[in-house]
Amino acid sequence: MATSPRQSDLLPITHTRIGIWDLYEKRGHGLPRRSDLSILKTFVQIRNDTPYVVRMFKEILNIRRNRMLIPAFLVVRVLDSLIPAVSLWYDGQLLRLVETMMETPTVDTTVVIHVAVGRVACAVASHLLGHIQRRIEIPINMSIKQFYASDIFHSVVRLDIPTFTDSAVQKQFNSATNQRTMGISPAWEVFRRLASLATTTTSMLSQLFILFTVLRRQQDGPLLVILGFSQSMLGWYMTQPSRDTFPGMGVWAATTTNNDYIRMQGLSMLGYDYSHRKEIVAGNLGEYIASQFRESAQRVGDGAADFDEAYEAHSMRPFPSISSFLRETMHELPEIAFMLSVVRKPTTVPLSFISLALIGHTSNSFISTHVSQSGLFHLAAAFAGVRNMYELKNVRNKVVDGTERFPENQQSLSSGISVEFRNVSFQYPDKERYALRNVSFRIEASQLCVIVGGNGSGKSTILKLISRIYDPTEGTILIDNRDIKTLRLADLRAAISILFQDYTHFPLSIRENIGLGNPGLAQDYDKIREAAKMGGSRDFIEELPEGFDTYIDRPVDDYYADSPEGVAIDYSDVRNVGGLRTSNVSDLSGGQNQRLAVSRTFMRSLVTDKESSAGMLLFDEPSASLDPTAENDLFENLRKLKGTKTMIFSTHRFGNLTRHADLILYMDESVQEQGTHDELLGKGGEYARIWNLQAKPFL
Ligand SMILES: Nc1ncnc2c1ncn2[C@@H]1O[C@H](COP(=O)(O)OP(=O)(O)OP(=O)(O)O)[C@@H](O)[C@H]1O
């Protein structure tokens, strides 16, 4: 494990090699190192986040189910926290019994029975309270999660792409949802931690009180108490904050350039992810992948660790700290004091022995408490989780909403929308290369425009800019002669329908997959069937056993018993009786998938009494996997819409479509050629060359 700090004066960034990982740290900037966070700073953070927590308390106490459950939970916690003190009190009775025995050698059996029954009752009560606590806690957590689920979902679902993909925002919603706390809502996490803090304090104080009452009259009692607790106090002071968010330092990033490790991860995804299974089976790749994985794994050797694991191994001290030795030695002090007292006064052995046991018992329960520095950091993190939960809705989208209504007159949509690019250039976030450079063109309302060009020439990017998925880096886009940025986003997107090249199917029923093409009509089954017909998907959907209610990819998995090692389980009986599916995936062909996507787009072209349809349809390679009949039907259906909608197609294919276009843009980062089919052929440029190569021979 080599460490090679490399620091330049300009950039105070250190580079540390940890196994296969390269860690880059920017010290003295940005966030402080976790261990530098003083308790004071943590308190300040907790204080700043307190208003959010207060608001959360009010809200969760207002949930009907919780009005009874939360007070019940608190009562149970407080009762539970008092049991150790009661138990200690019984121990004290035992001590007094021994004391009396030493003075008068008689045993009061009622006291013995009393103590025994008391101890048993404490154990039973503790078990019972623990059980009740768990029974109450689960429904509280479920109702709190449910209470916040819709708001959190709304905060996330409204984010645009540049904001959604921003890693800082991702981090915020991981903290606000339950990623860190494994299914426990951040709100309940804070509540639990605060309740635990309060009840631990009650428990400690009540035990201390009983201990001092019991041992007050013992000769060595106070000394043993002090020695016993010095160890736990020292432990409390020296507890290091646990390293749950490694490395807990300022601004840092870690990467690996180990090709074998990267390959291992890639092969692993290839093997485990369903989406590659077809190719693995058909290509007979299983054995090959496994052998490649083994080879890469052998080359990486023991260094094949996740960064967390590698960092933990790297940051562990070679030897335990002096303070930890000190703490452990302190543990022995009460015993040493006890032995000394035995040597001095052998007659007090039984008494000192019992005192020692009492102190040991209490100080051990102190050690296991959460009242420590790391507890405080966890509390601060839980408070921050609640703040993030509320603040998520204030995350500003990077694509800023406009204020003007569009269109001013809904009827105008029925004759299409004009679009103009003026010197538009665009770089994707964090990319140096321009996807579009100085692009200018104008498409009049209700025209048909076809954008052609090679892979990566910027065709899809133009469509993304028209629907404001992104904003141009430079230049202006005009929609119906108005700056696109001034228009209300919701209006703009309602007026445009777009079919992406990399469309996805939603993990919902086919009916909703099509219906969501037009949320205003998503419940209108007749319109959905009409759109399915126009997109060429109705026939095959109706043949599916569950028709329009079919889930292409069911989002909820069934659960199955784990098979004990080496035992093959036959699930068929339980499956048959329960009607469980053997697979969650209804495979459709590439063309069928595309027809579904086209049907979704057609939803927008359907008009209702209530709302007018979209004025512009954007298609990114709509016919790539359609058979010739389906392609022909699609273009027929689209042609019917001509004159009522502006339509823009991005495609590699030069054929029927380009011949009917009012405007063809031939792209290669910028517009290389533009005009009608005849004009471009007349020019004899690149368009003409590719047309002659690709389409002409088939006409
Ligand atoms: N989300 C993205 N993030 C970063 N770069 C991107 C992204 N999408 C596209 N690019 C890059 O922008 C450039 C233009 O891509 P675009 O998708 O517009 O091309 P295209 O002409 O539609 O290509 P194709 O015909 O292959 O679909 C390419 O260099 C591509 O790598």
Side-chain angles (χ1 to χ4, degrees):
M1 208 172 284
T3 303
S4 57
R6 192 195 61 188
Q7 242 166 339
S8 84
D9 291 340
L10 287 172
L11 286 170
I13 293 182
T14 57
H15 166 228
T16 313
R17 197 79 204 266
I18 302 174
I20 57 163
W21 293 95
D22 293 295
L23 173 66
Y24 298 94
E25 297 173 72
K26 191 173 181 183
R27 299 248 171 98
H29 290 265
L31 303 166
R33 283 180 73 92
R34 176 104 180 251
S35 50
D36 293 342
L37 283 175
S38 67
I39 292 188
L40 190 67
K41 278 186 192 155
T42 314
F43 273 124
V44 171
Q45 191 217 310
I46 289 180
R47 196 199 59 200
N48 291 343
D49 291 345
T50 299
Y52 296 96
V53 172
V54 171
R55 179 175 162 196
M56 173 211 81
F57 271 121
K58 284 187 194 148
E59 286 175 357
I60 63 175
L61 281 167
N62 260 330
I63 302 173
R64 185 121 71 92
R65 195 186 198 183
N66 288 348
R67 275 188 220 142
M68 291 287 291
L69 288 180
I70 290 185
F73 174 80
L74 290 176
V75 170
V76 170
R77 282 300 298 252
V78 170
L79 288 179
D80 198 23
S81 72
L82 292 175
I83 287 183
V86 176
S87 174
L88 199 63
W89 183 79
Y90 281 113
D91 289 344
Q93 297 286 304
L94 206 62
L95 183 69
R96 192 147 302 150
L97 188 77
V98 175
E99 211 172 10
T100 329
M101 271 173 60
M102 286 170 64
E103 284 160 15
T104 53
T106 52
V107 179
D108 185 348
T109 44
T110 50
V111 176
V112 176
I113 294 172
H114 186 73
V115 170
V117 171
R119 293 291 307 259
V120 170
C122 280
V124 171
S126 173
H127 183 64
L128 198 65
L129 289 172
H131 181 78
I132 297 175
Q133 195 181 310
R134 277 193 298 281
R135 280 210 53 178
I136 300 179
E137 207 176 347
I138 295 170
I140 297 179
N141 182 41
M142 277 167 19
S143 65
I144 293 178
K145 267 204 307 193
Q146 195 66 5
F147 178 76
Y148 288 111
S150 308
D151 282 346
I152 295 178
F153 187 66
H154 180 245
S155 304
V156 174
V157 94
R158 74 188 170 81
L159 297 177
D160 62 30
I161 289 184
T163 317
F164 186 80
T165 48
D166 185 319
S167 51
V169 176
Q170 295 261 343
K171 225 172 157 181
Q172 188 171 348
F173 71 69
N174 284 347
S175 144
T177 51
N178 46 22
Q179 309 280 332
R180 189 178 62 84
T181 47
M182 313 275 283
I184 296 172
S185 133
W188 182 237
E189 169 82 356
V190 164
F191 195 94
R192 266 191 353 164
R193 284 196 176 274
L194 285 177
S196 149
L197 196 68
T199 50
T200 309
T201 314
T202 319
S203 177
M204 275 169 53
L205 292 179
S206 56
Q207 285 184 73
L208 264 181
F209 174 73
I210 300 287
L211 199 66
F212 271 104
T213 317
V214 171
L215 296 182
R216 204 178 31 192
R217 286 177 298 116
Q218 297 298 320
Q219 197 195 359
D220 296 325
L223 175 70
L224 291 177
V225 171
I226 290 166
L227 292 178
F229 282 92
S230 57
Q231 189 248 353
S232 20
M233 286 305 160
L234 194 76
W236 179 82
Y237 181 72
M238 290 179 171
T239 315
Q240 288 300 312
S242 72
R243 198 173 270 129
D244 60 340
T245 48
F246 69 94
M249 56 191 95
V251 179
W252 63 270
T255 184
T256 179
T257 47
N258 184 304
N259 284 334
D260 281 309
Y261 182 75
I262 296 170
R263 189 153 180 266
M264 255 176 81
Q265 300 306 315
L267 289 167
S268 160
M269 283 181 193
L270 189 59
Y272 286 121
D273 193 335
Y274 164 75
S275 61
H276 310 294
R277 186 63 33 170
K278 263 185 276 185
E279 275 124 309
I280 292 179
V281 173
N284 203 14
L285 301 176
E287 285 306 314
Y288 175 76
I289 291 174
S291 72
Q292 293 303 303
F293 185 88
R294 196 170 296 116
E295 274 178 29
S296 289
Q298 271 164 4
R299 276 196 295 269
V300 182
D302 295 340
D306 289 346
F307 177 67
D308 331 21
E309 225 177 339
Y311 184 80
E312 197 182 350
H314 167 77
S315 58
M316 265 185 85
R317 296 160 176 269
F319 296 104
S321 69
I322 295 181
S323 61
S324 66
F325 279 117
L326 204 63
R327 201 166 57 227
E328 292 308 310
T329 337
M330 299 273 295
H331 199 51
E332 304 302 320
L333 288 184
E335 270 85 357
I336 294 170
F338 161 70
M339 283 187 283
L340 288 177
S341 100
V342 169
V343 174
R344 268 193 304 128
K345 262 187 164 185
T347 49
T348 62
V349 170
L351 276 182
S352 299
F353 189 72
I354 294 176
S355 310
L356 187 71
L358 290 190
I359 294 161
H361 171 83
T362 318
S363 74
N364 276 343
S365 80
F366 263 52
I367 295 168
S368 63
T369 61
H370 301 291
V371 190
S372 61
Q373 278 192 53
S374 70
L376 192 68
F377 286 125
H378 280 131
L379 186 68
F383 268 54
V386 171
R387 185 194 59 225
N388 282 332
M389 189 175 80
Y390 284 113
E391 284 297 323
L392 205 52
K393 70 171 186 307
N394 297 327
V395 172
R396 294 263 189 94
N397 268 324
K398 296 191 181 178
V399 175
V400 182
D401 204 353
T403 52
E404 295 177 17
R405 292 183 66 85
F406 178 80
E408 270 158 6
N409 168 13
Q410 283 291 325
Q411 290 309 314
S412 68
L413 282 184
S414 57
S415 51
I417 300 170
S418 73
V419 54
E420 183 174 348
F421 273 45
R422 285 193 187 155
N423 307 107
V424 169
S425 296
F426 177 70
Q427 284 164 296
Y428 280 96
D430 301 330
K431 289 276 149 54
E432 277 186 19
R433 190 169 173 269
Y434 274 86
L436 293 179
R437 205 185 284 273
N438 204 19
V439 170
S440 299
F441 60 84
R442 181 174 172 88
I443 304 167
E444 298 298 341
S446 84
Q447 279 194 335
L448 167 64
C449 168
V450 181
I451 311 174
V452 288
N455 290 127
S457 56
K459 303 184 294 296
S460 309
T461 306
I462 291 181
L463 304 187
K464 288 183 200 161
L465 294 185
I466 295 176
S467 46
R468 276 198 86 194
I469 305 276
Y470 296 98
D471 276 333
T473 319
E474 292 145 39
T476 316
I477 298 174
L478 302 174
I479 296 287
D480 273 353
N481 303 316
R482 295 157 71 187
D483 185 342
I484 196 169
K485 289 187 184 170
T486 62
L487 309 179
R488 291 201 327 207
L489 276 169
D491 290 355
L492 177 77
R493 291 182 182 144
I496 296 175
S497 181
I498 178 162
L499 171 62
F500 292 106
Q501 186 179 27
D502 50 354
Y503 60 85
T504 59
H505 288 307
F506 306 142
L508 299 168
S509 66
I510 287 184
R511 183 201 304 258
E512 286 204 86
N513 261 284
I514 298 176
L516 284 174
N518 187 347
L521 293 179
Q523 305 296 330
D524 189 332
Y525 191 27
D526 289 336
K527 293 276 188 242
I528 292 172
R529 285 165 54 83
E530 195 182 328
K533 184 164 177 274
M534 288 173 82
S537 61
R538 195 167 82 181
D539 291 348
F540 79 81
I541 295 172
E542 282 175 346
E543 279 170 22
L544 294 168
E546 290 175 276
F548 278 84
D549 292 324
T550 307
Y551 269 82
I552 299 168
D553 193 353
R554 196 166 177 266
V556 179
D557 289 336
D558 297 325
Y559 290 82
Y560 287 96
D562 283 340
S563 60
E565 227 169 289
V567 181
I569 297 192
D570 179 6
Y571 298 105
S572 53
D573 290 344
V574 280
R575 227 180 216 160
N576 289 341
V577 173
L580 277 73
R581 296 164 176 74
T582 49
S583 163
N584 269 349
V585 187
S586 306
D587 260 338
L588 297 178
S589 75
Q592 286 172 330
N593 269 318
Q594 192 149 18
R595 288 182 197 207
L596 270 186
V598 172
S599 306
R600 189 192 296 162
T601 315
F602 271 119
M603 272 306 283
R604 271 291 167 82
S605 63
L606 303 173
V607 192
T608 53
D609 306 336
K610 278 176 261 142
E611 63 172 72
S612 63
S613 70
M616 179 163 2
L617 303 182
L618 310 178
F619 291 92
D620 201 353
E621 274 296 350
S623 58
S625 40
L626 294 184
D627 58 42
T629 326
E631 186 177 23
N632 193 53
D633 291 349
L634 171 67
F635 290 148
E636 274 304 307
N637 280 325
L638 289 173
R639 223 168 280 149
K640 283 184 206 150
L641 300 173
K642 206 171 172 218
T644 63
K645 313 231 172 291
T646 310
M647 285 187 269
I648 308 178
F649 289 84
S650 137
T651 181
H652 296 115
R653 302 200 197 183
F654 293 52
N656 268 335
L657 207 53
T658 46
R659 287 205 301 171
H660 290 102
D662 300 300
L663 177 71
I664 297 165
L665 301 174
Y666 179 75
M667 293 295 303
D668 189 6
E669 210 176 276
S670 53
V671 182
Q672 303 292 320
E673 293 167 28
Q674 59 176 304
T676 61
H677 176 71
D678 293 336
E679 284 166 1
L680 294 188
L681 276 194
K683 250 188 190 168
E686 261 313 273
Y687 176 84
R689 190 182 69 79
I690 299 177
W691 163 265
N692 285 323
L693 206 75
Q694 201 191 76
K696 200 176 165 192
F698 299 99
L699 291 179

